[in-house]
Amino acid sequence: MSEVNITFPDNSVRTYGAGVSGMEIATDISKSLAKAAIAVRIDGELSDLSLPIESDAKLEILKRDNEEALEMIRHDTAHVMAEAVQKLFPGTQVTIGPNIENGFYYDFARNEPFGTEDLAVIEKEMRKIVERGDAFTREVWSRDEAIKFFKDKGEMYKAELIEDLPEEEEIKVYKQGEWLDLCRGPHMPSTRHVGGAFKLLKVAGAYWRGDSKKAMLTRIYGTAWRDDKELKAYLLQLEEAEKRDHRKLGAEMDLFHFQHEAQGSVFWHPKGFTIYNQMEQYIRRRLDNAGYQEVKTPMLIDNKLWEKSGHWGKFRENMFVVPDEVPSGEDDGPVLSDKAFEKLMALKPMNCPAHVQIFKQGITSYRDLPIRMAEFGCCHRNEAHGALHGLMRVRQMTQDDAHIFCREDQITDESVAFCELLRNVYTDLGFDDLVVKLALRPEVRAGDDDIWDRAEEGLRAALKQAGLDYEELPDEGAFYGPKIEYHLKDAIGRSWQCGTLQLDFVLPERLDAHYIGEDGGKHRPVMLHRAILGTLERFIGIMIENHAGKLPLWLAPVQCVVATITSDADAYGQKVFAALQEAGLRAELDIRNEKINYKVREHSHAKVPVMFVVGAREAEDGTVAIRRMDSKDQPVEPFEKAIELLANQCKPPY
RNA sequence: GCUGCUGUAGCUCAGUGGUAGAGCGCGUCAUUGGUAAUGACGAGGUCGGGAGUUCAAUUCUCCCCAGCAGCACCA
């Protein structure tokens, strides 16, 4: 019988008979290891403990405390859930059940969708299956056998999955007792290894293969951990994250609201609009300094321009269309005539075509390029109702938009400059952990490959020079050019695209923009569509969640509250308050007939960063007791000094 | 838009086939209190909208609307 040499992580080598399994090796080393083992890594690849090893290999025995264990626990839990569901709800078809961050889901096809109340029942059944502790055993089937088996069982989705697997792929199924599932593996030794630290979290609809034209399946989300302590910690983290929800904080802090008469559009309250204005002014300073010129263009534009720009063809279903007709003033009868649809206008969903119109006024020389045209453009997009989400996804939005008109040879420099500007802004605003993606040429595209090569290379060079790590997304670019996307995460880990840089060779062509080149002839400029924040709405939403409402001083709607302890200090409080205002700070004076405890509590809840508490002593000495959010310290300083210090700290980062 | 869940006072929520309750908030009065809730009293609700079943609907049924989660789409 031939032998295999097994090399362990500490470089020790043991020799076994060929075909030895990971479990046998673990048992050979120690009983306790065999008990704790959940999988092996053979030459870097995760594998089942039960599979025979036929040749020399590096081997690592994985236990529950390995990083990969969580992945396996979750995946195995998904299998257990699928079995439980099929047992409880016969006729339900299984489809796919991958791991996701912090958990897993499994999509099921069933005529009657699941409700939330089913989760507890399924969970109970799952615990029985775990308790039963059947071994996960692997089998390799022939393709035809597998397809026939699943079709006979009425598992049409599984059969479809197998049919679509590449020819060379082995068809593997994993059994746990009577139940089995098509699966690539690996799995832990038995269902008992799943443990008890799992919880089903929610049900939701999801399209088969992510295609809205295909069937809607029911997805069940769950989470699973090594032990109850980890599970509890995760559930607590979810709860904490919910408290940071910008919609909740927006209401509590009196920043903004939404109502059905204008769904998807923000009613900014004075405090919220203070944040908005500060952000806008900050970006304006940044843009001014970076050589941008600000413009303002119409919101309501004839659809003839949208036809020319291509939006009417490609973006119409996202637009709000308005008839260009004087509505009837009669109380009864139709408001609009039958002919109303003949003359249409649309609320702009983007600013680009309007910017091209400004570019086209007069004659532009190559010497004028690049032209960086900025607008805090108020755009409307007719988003699907289900897409709307607080400030993150709205129907009326203001972009910190700009279009850079330049020559092709300026693309790289302009892109680099933009990436650096964006990085500086994000750093100012406290985002260092952004995710950057580069969306590359899609199948259907305009422009020849040579231009695309240059465009993509230009963006890669820009990202490199800006020192940003990024992920490439093939096929995801816009039809007119590649784009860089900057993503930020909200409190519960949902990722939102904020900044973007898009190269466009198409729109200048469609709208016939040109400049006069060195050679005296007409040339097409290239357009760079770019936004740093993306939209003020979304970015402010992200800011609120990122800071849990405790915004940096320069953005805080109220920077300082002067709170008096007794009415004897009211006059002095007035004086300090006036001095704060004089220093340009956003201040409030609280001389209500309330106890200081009450005032401190209330302003703390309102997330006011600084309170100046004044009583008889302070009035006497000309001082203030400074109380900062989340701090029990109460240093006492002369009020002029305290204000000077605070004014310094309230300066915007740029 | 699709699937599921939810919709009671300004907010957070309880509750019932016989037209409603708590806490916070709000108002009035008293209280002048040293860093996260002073006390008393009071006002406030066509129980999301419409239809149906019923002697009677906030409660049961259906439709609509909105919100939430996810999917699809996207800044």
Side-chain angles (χ1 to χ4, degrees), chain A residues 35-84:
Chain A
K35 209 176 163 196
I38 56 165
V40 286
R41 192 187 340 255
I42 302 173
D43 295 330
E45 292 275 313
L46 277 184
S47 179
D48 297 329
L49 272 168
S50 58
L51 290 181
I53 300 166
E54 303 292 357
S55 56
D56 291 356
K58 278 190 175 169
L59 180 131
E60 186 187 347
I61 292 166
L62 300 177
K63 296 189 293 185
R64 221 174 160 75
D65 52 6
N66 277 84
E67 218 174 282
E68 293 83 352
L70 265 185
E71 297 289 309
M72 300 195 67
I73 291 166
R74 287 170 188 162
H75 185 59
D76 289 11
T77 312
H79 274 240
V80 169
M81 178 171 84
E83 182 187 339

Side-chain angles (χ1 to χ4, degrees), chain A residues 90-119:
Chain A
T92 303
Q93 296 186 60
V94 289
T95 68
I96 55 161
N99 276 354
I100 49 172
E101 201 177 353
N102 296 323
F104 62 90
Y105 67 77
Y106 212 116
D107 285 347
F108 300 99
R110 182 176 172 231
N111 292 337
E112 185 111 350
F114 298 103
T116 320
E117 66 283 357
D118 296 323
L119 293 184

Side-chain angles (χ1 to χ4, degrees), chain A residues 403-454:
Chain A
H403 294 93
I404 301 172
F405 296 88
C406 65
R407 305 188 306 261
E408 236 184 282
D409 62 285
Q410 293 171 320
I411 290 175
T412 304
D413 282 353
E414 286 303 312
S415 301
V416 169
F418 172 73
C419 287
E420 283 176 358
L421 176 61
L422 179 135
R423 200 183 50 165
N424 289 335
V425 167
Y426 278 41
T427 302
D428 279 353
L429 299 177
F431 296 97
D432 299 320
D433 54 345
L434 65 168
V435 173
V436 184
K437 297 178 184 179
L438 177 59
L440 303 171
R441 66 191 77 184
E443 291 260 322
V444 183
R445 59 180 182 268
D448 56 39
D449 286 354
D450 184 44
I451 290 180
W452 276 90
D453 287 343
R454 290 204 303 278

Side-chain angles (χ1 to χ4, degrees), chain A residues 492-522:
Chain A
I492 61 168
R494 287 178 292 216
S495 179
W496 300 92
Q497 187 183 321
C498 294
T500 183
L501 171 62
Q502 307 177 10
L503 278 185
D504 183 358
F505 299 98
V506 175
L507 198 62
E509 179 82 35
R510 292 195 71 120
L511 295 177
D512 191 28
H514 62 261
Y515 66 91
I516 306 299
E518 217 169 340
D519 58 4
K522 287 183 178 180

Side-chain angles (χ1 to χ4, degrees), chain A residues 114-343:
Chain A
F114 298 103
T116 320
E117 66 283 357
D118 296 323
L119 293 184
V121 186
I122 296 168
E123 223 178 275
K124 206 170 154 197
E125 186 64 30
M126 286 169 70
R127 296 193 192 279
K128 278 193 214 159
I129 295 167
V130 169
E131 188 62 27
R132 204 178 66 208
D134 285 319
F136 282 106
T137 56
R138 195 182 92 141
E139 291 178 10
V140 177
W141 289 7
S142 81
R143 175 175 297 257
D144 294 341
E145 179 190 6
I147 292 173
K148 183 172 184 310
F149 175 83
F150 283 108
K151 277 194 175 161
D152 288 349
K153 262 178 71 177
E155 295 276 7
M156 307 322 272
Y157 291 94
K158 277 287 172 196
E160 189 182 325
L161 283 174
I162 298 168
E163 279 167 352
D164 289 351
L165 283 175
E167 276 306 319
E168 63 281 6
E169 178 106 9
E170 271 189 335
I171 313 292
K172 291 175 278 192
V173 299
Y174 276 81
K175 279 189 176 167
Q176 57 203 59
E178 297 295 303
W179 192 83
L180 61 80
D181 193 7
L182 172 76
C183 182
R184 194 175 287 126
H187 280 278
M188 298 189 289
S190 80
T191 57
R192 193 187 299 279
H193 287 75
V194 162
F198 61 82
K199 186 171 169 59
L200 302 186
L201 297 175
K202 54 197 174 191
V203 291
Y207 296 109
W208 170 233
R209 302 209 143 168
D211 184 342
S212 60
K213 291 185 188 71
K214 293 196 161 81
M216 173 69 66
L217 310 170
T218 301
R219 175 171 297 178
I220 300 181
Y221 284 91
T223 188
W225 299 84
R226 293 185 184 87
D227 53 46
D228 284 343
K229 206 176 143 197
E230 281 188 354
L231 173 66
K232 248 184 148 170
Y234 173 65
L235 295 176
L236 190 71
Q237 186 196 325
L238 281 185
E239 262 177 54
E240 288 301 314
E242 265 175 48
K243 291 182 193 159
R244 302 175 143 229
D245 189 317
H246 74 279
R247 294 164 300 186
K248 200 172 156 67
L249 288 171
E252 281 172 14
M253 295 171 69
D254 192 20
L255 303 178
F256 55 82
H257 84 270
F258 293 90
Q259 62 187 56
H260 357 291
E261 288 87 345
Q263 45 175 302
S265 298
V266 190
F267 289 80
W268 287 104
H269 296 13
K271 284 181 178 155
F273 200 54
T274 300
I275 302 170
Y276 182 106
N277 276 328
Q278 290 301 317
M279 288 291 283
E280 185 180 294
Q281 285 159 23
Y282 161 78
I283 289 292
R284 181 173 284 126
R285 290 190 295 272
R286 277 286 188 186
L287 292 182
D288 281 351
N289 196 258
Y292 288 77
Q293 298 166 295
E294 192 174 335
V295 299
K296 196 78 180 169
T297 60
M299 228 181 275
L300 192 56
I301 299 178
D302 197 300
N303 82 343
K304 288 191 183 66
L305 182 65
W306 301 116
E307 274 169 17
K308 274 193 219 158
S309 71
H311 287 83
W312 198 251
K314 301 241 181 243
F315 208 72
R316 192 171 63 227
E317 54 190 25
N318 286 294
M319 290 164 72
F320 286 101
V321 173
V322 182
D324 182 13
E325 184 182 81
V326 178
S328 157
E330 303 297 319
D331 284 341
D332 32 81
V335 176
L336 294 167
S337 77
D338 293 342
K339 288 187 171 175
F341 65 90
E342 286 174 11
K343 261 199 100 180

Side-chain angles (χ1 to χ4, degrees), chain A residues 569-618:
Chain A
D570 285 359
Y572 177 66
Q574 276 286 1
K575 185 176 157 191
V576 174
F577 169 65
L580 277 163
Q581 287 191 309
E582 187 62 28
L585 295 169
R586 296 187 291 274
E588 279 180 3
L589 175 64
D590 187 352
I591 52 173
R592 288 175 304 169
N593 181 12
E594 295 291 350
K595 288 193 170 178
I596 193 62
N597 284 322
Y598 182 88
K599 294 184 184 181
V600 166
R601 183 184 147 87
E602 193 166 85
H603 298 303
S604 297
H605 279 307
K607 302 192 168 47
V608 173
V610 179
M611 262 179 265
F612 285 175
V613 176
V614 295
R617 282 207 298 274
E618 288 76 12

